[in-house]
Amino acid sequence: MAGASMLLLVPAAVQGEETRRTPPGKGRAATILALAPEPSAPPRAAGSVVLTIPKGPLESALVAFTEQARVKLVYATELTARLTTNGAEGAFEPLDGLGRILEGTDLTFRAVGPSTITLVNPRYVQLGGAAGSVALEELHVAGQPQGRGAPTGLPPRSGTVGQPPVPYAGGQVGTGTRVGLLGNRSVLKTPFNVTGYTEKLINDQEARSVGDVVLNNPSVRSDAPPYSERDSYFIRGFSVTNLDTAFDGLFYIANPRRSFTEGLERVEVLLGPTALLSGGTGRVGGTINLVPKRAYDAPLTRVTTSYFSDSQFGTHLDLGRRFGTFKEWGVRFNGAYRNGDTPLDKNAIEVGVAALGIDYRNDRFRASFDFNHSTQNVTAPTSLFNAVAPNIPVPRAPNARRNTANAFEYNDSRYNMAAGRVEFDVLPETTIYAAGGLSRYNEDFLTSNYRVTSPTGLATNSLAIQPLELQGFTGEVGLRTAFQTGFIGHQFTVAAVEAVNKNFSRGFVPFALPTYPINIDNPVDLPFGSVPTVAFPRSDRQPLFTELYARSVAVADTLSLGDDRFLLTLGGRFQEIDLRSYVTRPGPTQGTPATGYREGRFSPAIALVVRPFENLSFYGNYIESLDAGPSAPAVAVNANAVFAPVVSRQKEVGAKVDLGTVSVTTSLFEIEQPSAFTDPATRLFSVSGLQRNRGIEFNVFGELVPGVRLLGGLTLIDAKLVNTVGRQFDGKAAPGVPDAAFNLYGEVDLPPWLAPGLTLTGRAIYTSRMFYDQANTQSVPDWTRFDAGLRYAFEGVNGKPVVMRATVQNLFDDSYWASAARGFLAVGAPRTFILSATVDF
């Protein structure tokens, strides 16, 4: 530990979600230890803990250690993959207990700063990891046992500047996630259904965008074609667009069309409405939060080269360094470029990504800054089928390799974003924080708009130019504090947020070219030159179309009893939505207000967690969302009409159990939302009634036995239209929502004596039949997709790790309608081959 002068050891709770600090004047001497420049033994903390950790996988032993010793550990799971421990039984000083658990693993720990511990694993290079060591953002060791009625341990910090909670056994998901206003929490102590997908899973599945990652969740389905310009989702049966994705907890600054994975540490999914937790609009079904990468203490230089069928090649550089006496400054840069043809005929995609994350940390102050840039140029983007004529069966899906778009159609986009966050501990249990970000997205788009008119695949098509510019801004300030009132612990949070989204567009701009017939099974391109290209309007010269201001103040208090065995969260958010639309037609009235409103409402929330045992929790919640009223789509006869805000409500109960290396969760929910739909016959868009989704979810994740990892689940949803115009469709199934969705992803490490370093992977995705129309006379059949893959990790030149991956998506090359949501049809992707090689230098 040459160069290290001090290790700060502060009482803490479990798994990176929470930090307990010793009150002033109590035990402070036991928590700050002065170290010699080169001590011969690791630092020790006063006070012993009783450990009961059995022999078995090291990953699960470390998770148990954090629970029993009240220690916070943050580390990359690659360091401990495939390692086992002899366990630890008896009373130990915390760091002695950690040393006992690590015996025989070749893994040790060392201090590199006043509040930083690095794990060092010489075997790590054989496992395809990031480097020979990785930073633990902080290792806080309890200097004395926690008494009954201790503070909740929920973080006075916002939990956003440092690393996210430690990965669970198997390394595919986190032991916790950020729960909006409430900060980082473990899965067992979160009164919602949450999942945080790790960088390891993202890399191992060779995911290119967030849409590829969230497909692991059975409650999430994509409703956009894979080779289009965007990702868009149905979560718990409700539409959630990429515009509603959060970046580091901030909304309206993430890429509104497609977020690429190169700069992401985690992709977190929280199911259900989130008015209290995050405010904003458009997130009835759930919230997706993107956690940016941060530099580890160990230097990282990693290069990944990739091939995607049919002829797309890419390169990705991941570079991380820390600087300063105690490595308080960190820089992480990710740059990627790929270009070439996809398996869809006529379709080509060019993508460039640059993501820079800078962070600073010391004992009381933390800050981070993120800068993102991406471009995406799509030739002949696959189109949604915008409408199906009423009273005809939906035709079978066309061949997944056949592209109905003309070869001259395109979507070119540019995205830029900057964000920052600062935190300061004014007192040991009190933190103030501020965050903000802004973004600009430009899109130039020439696209087809199809209306299917026959079950044989006949359709009509019209071309339109749709230039778009979106500007986003979000600012947030808040305070978190933990305190005691008698035997009740409190975690109190207050925050104020303003989020702005501005849309510069004329909307749907059709050409003078008349509508023409086409067959989606055998499309014939229009010749080049059919559409004039000289006078195309550009995205950077569009008038202001709509602007949305969402202002809110939120307050929440989590009350704790019995060493966090009982956690009750009470709170609410007062939110004001200010939405305005403007005349965009050229002329003297351009830029004048057209429609708008300014309305506010208080949205309450209550959530309860009861933990009869350390590894078992039951939870329940009631939470709402206040969403800006929908706008009529371009294909509706009342296109661009703006509707008033709508209130959605959720009731949910569930249970979660941690079996050591495998966790199982289940939940029952009911969500009610005022529903909007475009009538296929009249093409009139309206908020016409109420949709009620009731469902049950089962999820499993972890390492079943050493070398066998599972991630998946089953979601069953009964989505009904319970109040429609004239009661015409009452009791009918909600369009676009499948009754059942199933996912299972698995990995098996082959025995070292058979094929050392080789892992087999596979995934099955099933989606049941869904209806297209409100009358339930039109439907699309169920579909199943199988993926398969191999991963080989070995030691390369100079002992550096190399990981080679191969994945086949849609193994049997099936053609199917992947979605029938929002009045559109979307075709699934054809068989796709992905190859990659990752090398550390």
Side-chain angles (χ1 to χ4, degrees):
M1 286 186 289
S5 59
M6 180 180 291
L7 173 64
L8 178 63
L9 304 174
V10 185
V14 284
Q15 300 178 9
E17 70 178 66
E18 35 198 56
T19 302
R20 292 190 178 94
R21 294 179 178 270
T22 305
K26 294 184 180 181
R28 298 289 289 181
T31 60
I32 300 179
L33 305 179
L35 307 181
E38 295 186 15
S40 58
R44 295 190 176 190
S48 62
V49 294
V50 177
L51 301 180
T52 304
I53 298 175
K55 181 179 179 180
L58 178 61
E59 180 67 34
S60 59
L62 291 175
V63 172
F65 174 72
T66 62
E67 290 280 356
Q68 297 175 25
R70 296 288 179 182
V71 171
K72 176 185 177 184
L73 295 176
V74 182
Y75 60 93
T77 191
E78 290 92 335
L79 287 175
T80 59
R82 306 183 190 177
L83 298 181
T84 60
T85 177
N86 291 321
E89 297 280 345
F92 299 87
E93 291 184 354
L95 296 184
D96 288 342
L98 178 59
R100 176 67 64 88
I101 294 169
L102 298 179
E103 285 181 359
T105 66
D106 294 327
L107 188 149
T108 61
F109 59 89
R110 62 183 177 89
V112 295
S115 61
T116 304
I117 293 292
T118 294
L119 288 181
V120 180
N121 186 351
R123 293 180 54 192
Y124 189 69
V125 296
Q126 302 173 10
L127 307 175
S133 62
V134 69
L136 308 185
E137 187 216 351
E138 290 177 292
L139 173 62
H140 302 291
V141 181
Q144 55 190 11
Q146 298 294 324
R148 181 177 178 83
T152 66
L154 303 174
R157 309 179 174 184
S158 68
T160 56
V161 170
Q163 297 292 334
V166 58
Y168 188 72
Q172 297 171 342
V173 301
T175 54
T177 66
R178 182 180 313 156
V179 190
L181 177 76
L182 305 180
N184 284 346
R185 290 199 180 186
S186 72
V187 170
L188 284 178
K189 295 185 182 180
T190 300
F192 304 96
N193 189 326
V194 295
T195 308
Y197 300 104
T198 65
E199 181 189 5
K200 173 178 169 55
L201 180 71
I202 293 171
N203 292 338
D204 287 343
Q205 291 187 340
E206 302 184 280
R208 287 160 286 178
S209 74
V210 170
D212 296 328
V213 181
V214 299
L215 192 57
N216 288 287
N217 194 310
S219 292
V220 182
R221 284 296 182 261
S222 175
D223 69 355
Y227 294 114
S228 65
E229 80 289 351
R230 72 182 68 192
D231 289 327
S232 184
Y233 318 102
F234 246 40
I235 304 179
R236 282 189 170 174
F238 294 99
S239 176
V240 177
T241 68
N242 215 60
L243 178 65
D244 299 309
T245 298
F247 179 90
D248 199 25
L250 300 173
F251 290 91
Y252 298 138
I253 66 170
N255 191 314
R257 287 292 188 256
R258 175 166 287 148
S259 296
F260 302 102
T261 59
E262 280 80 4
L264 301 181
E265 177 74 22
R266 295 275 170 92
V267 175
E268 299 175 332
V269 178
L270 189 157
L271 301 180
T274 57
L276 168 67
L277 305 177
S278 59
T281 67
R283 295 180 289 278
V284 177
T287 296
I288 298 171
N289 180 52
L290 311 180
V291 181
K293 290 179 179 178
R294 297 286 177 251
Y296 296 123
D297 285 279
L300 171 66
T301 303
R302 173 176 295 167
V303 175
T304 300
T305 58
S306 303
Y307 164 80
F308 308 91
S309 59
D310 280 348
S311 60
Q312 188 171 105
F313 296 88
T315 301
H316 171 207
L317 170 66
D318 189 353
L319 187 67
R321 296 290 188 274
R322 298 205 73 88
F323 306 94
T325 305
F326 299 116
K327 299 190 176 182
E328 55 268 31
W329 286 98
V331 178
R332 186 83 175 263
F333 172 78
N334 280 263
Y337 177 80
R338 57 180 178 269
N339 190 15
D341 295 336
T342 74
L344 186 70
D345 67 315
K346 297 178 287 185
N347 180 262
I349 299 180
E350 179 184 27
V351 171
V353 179
L356 177 65
I358 302 171
D359 71 281
Y360 175 82
R361 66 193 186 197
N362 66 25
D363 293 336
R364 298 182 64 187
F365 178 77
R366 297 163 298 280
S368 66
F369 305 94
D370 289 281
F371 305 91
N372 262 307
H373 168 79
S374 67
T375 60
Q376 180 181 236
N377 301 320
V378 186
T379 301
T382 181
S383 298
L384 288 164
F385 295 91
N386 302 77
V388 177
N391 303 318
I392 67 167
V394 175
R396 64 179 177 83
N399 187 303
R401 297 180 178 276
R402 191 161 294 148
N403 191 356
T404 53
N406 293 285
F408 55 75
E409 295 178 39
Y410 65 89
N411 181 285
D412 295 341
S413 66
R414 306 172 302 283
Y415 163 73
N416 293 284
M417 184 275 290
R421 186 177 291 271
V422 295
E423 303 174 357
F424 180 69
D425 302 334
V426 294
L427 294 171
E429 294 283 359
T430 303
T431 296
I432 57 175
Y433 66 92
L438 51 87
S439 69
R440 173 176 290 179
Y441 174 85
N442 289 86
E443 175 181 275
D444 294 296
F445 196 7
L446 171 61
T447 182
S448 287
N449 296 271
Y450 303 95
R451 186 171 189 265
V452 179
T453 58
S454 167
T456 62
L458 294 178
T460 59
N461 186 27
S462 59
L463 292 169
I465 185 74
Q466 295 179 248
L468 170 70
E469 179 177 314
L470 295 174
Q471 295 180 7
F473 167 79
T474 297
E476 179 181 7
V477 294
L479 176 145
R480 297 172 187 240
T481 186
F483 58 91
Q484 288 285 127
T485 56
F487 58 88
I488 300 177
H490 296 264
Q491 159 65 33
F492 180 80
T493 306
V494 59
V497 179
E498 178 167 16
V500 181
N501 181 255
K502 294 187 176 184
N503 180 324
F504 295 82
S505 170
R506 285 190 174 89
F508 182 86
V509 183
F511 287 107
L513 187 72
T515 298
Y516 64 94
I518 191 174
N519 190 309
I520 64 174
D521 290 315
N522 188 26
V524 177
D525 275 14
L526 293 176
F528 278 90
S530 300
V531 177
T533 60
V534 177
F536 278 6
R538 305 297 296 176
S539 61
D540 55 358
R541 295 193 293 272
Q542 295 305 301
L544 181 61
F545 178 29
T546 61
E547 55 182 347
L548 168 69
Y549 294 82
R551 307 177 184 95
S552 64
V553 176
V555 178
D557 188 12
T558 298
L559 294 78
S560 170
L561 292 171
D563 198 20
D564 293 351
R565 292 299 180 95
F566 180 94
L567 295 166
L568 175 64
T569 299
L570 302 171
R573 183 182 296 266
F574 179 82
Q575 187 166 322
E576 180 185 77
I577 296 178
D578 186 352
L579 180 63
R580 311 164 196 167
S581 66
Y582 298 89
V583 176
T584 59
R585 295 186 303 272
T589 61
Q590 187 180 70
T592 61
T595 60
Y597 57 81
R598 184 174 180 175
E599 297 188 20
R601 184 181 184 275
F602 180 77
S603 300
I606 180 171
L608 174 67
V609 175
V610 178
R611 300 169 59 230
F613 306 102
E614 284 288 341
N615 68 332
L616 174 66
S617 67
F618 299 96
Y619 74 91
N621 67 68
Y622 171 82
I623 194 167
E624 298 181 353
S625 71
L626 179 66
D627 302 307
S631 298
V635 296
V637 294
N638 56 336
N640 305 328
V642 176
F643 292 81
V646 296
V647 178
S648 302
R649 299 173 175 87
Q650 172 180 276
K651 291 170 285 208
E652 179 182 4
V653 295
K656 306 173 184 179
V657 59
D658 183 352
L659 302 176
T661 60
V662 175
S663 282
V664 180
T665 71
T666 184
S667 56
L668 288 164
F669 66 88
E670 176 185 276
I671 304 175
E672 293 184 337
Q673 180 195 37
S675 59
F677 198 78
T678 303
D679 188 282
T682 64
R683 308 281 292 280
L684 180 69
F685 181 87
S686 63
V687 180
S688 57
L690 184 71
Q691 179 177 329
R692 183 184 64 208
N693 290 8
R694 290 173 172 166
I696 182 170
E697 297 160 327
F698 302 93
N699 290 281
V700 61
F701 54 86
E703 192 160 24
L704 189 61
V705 296
V708 179
R709 294 168 290 279
L710 294 176
L711 171 64
L714 171 68
T715 297
L716 305 174
I717 298 181
D718 178 29
K720 296 295 186 186
L721 302 174
V722 296
N723 182 17
T724 60
V725 175
R727 303 290 181 178
Q728 182 180 7
F729 302 119
D730 285 11
K732 299 292 186 179
V737 184
D739 294 333
F742 170 78
N743 291 58
L744 184 62
Y745 173 73
E747 297 185 347
V748 178
D749 300 332
L750 295 185
W753 52 266
L754 180 62
L758 187 64
T759 300
L760 307 180
T761 68
R763 180 165 62 174
I765 304 171
Y766 169 78
T767 303
S768 69
R769 183 186 73 155
M770 64 191 83
F771 290 103
Y772 173 78
D773 65 330
Q774 288 183 310
N776 293 176
T777 60
Q778 298 168 298
S779 64
V780 299
D782 62 344
W783 58 269
T784 304
R785 189 184 107 182
F786 294 97
D787 302 340
L790 293 172
R791 183 170 70 250
Y792 180 45
F794 60 96
E795 184 177 316
V797 179
N798 297 324
K800 298 295 184 179
V802 178
V803 182
M804 302 185 70
R805 300 177 176 92
T807 303
V808 184
Q809 297 177 344
N810 193 359
L811 184 64
F812 300 111
D813 202 22
D814 291 328
S815 298
Y816 56 91
W817 293 117
S819 173
R822 298 184 295 126
F824 303 131
L825 292 175
V827 181
R831 182 192 294 128
T832 304
F833 296 93
I834 307 175
L835 303 174
S836 68
T838 299
V839 182
D840 287 8
F841 294 94

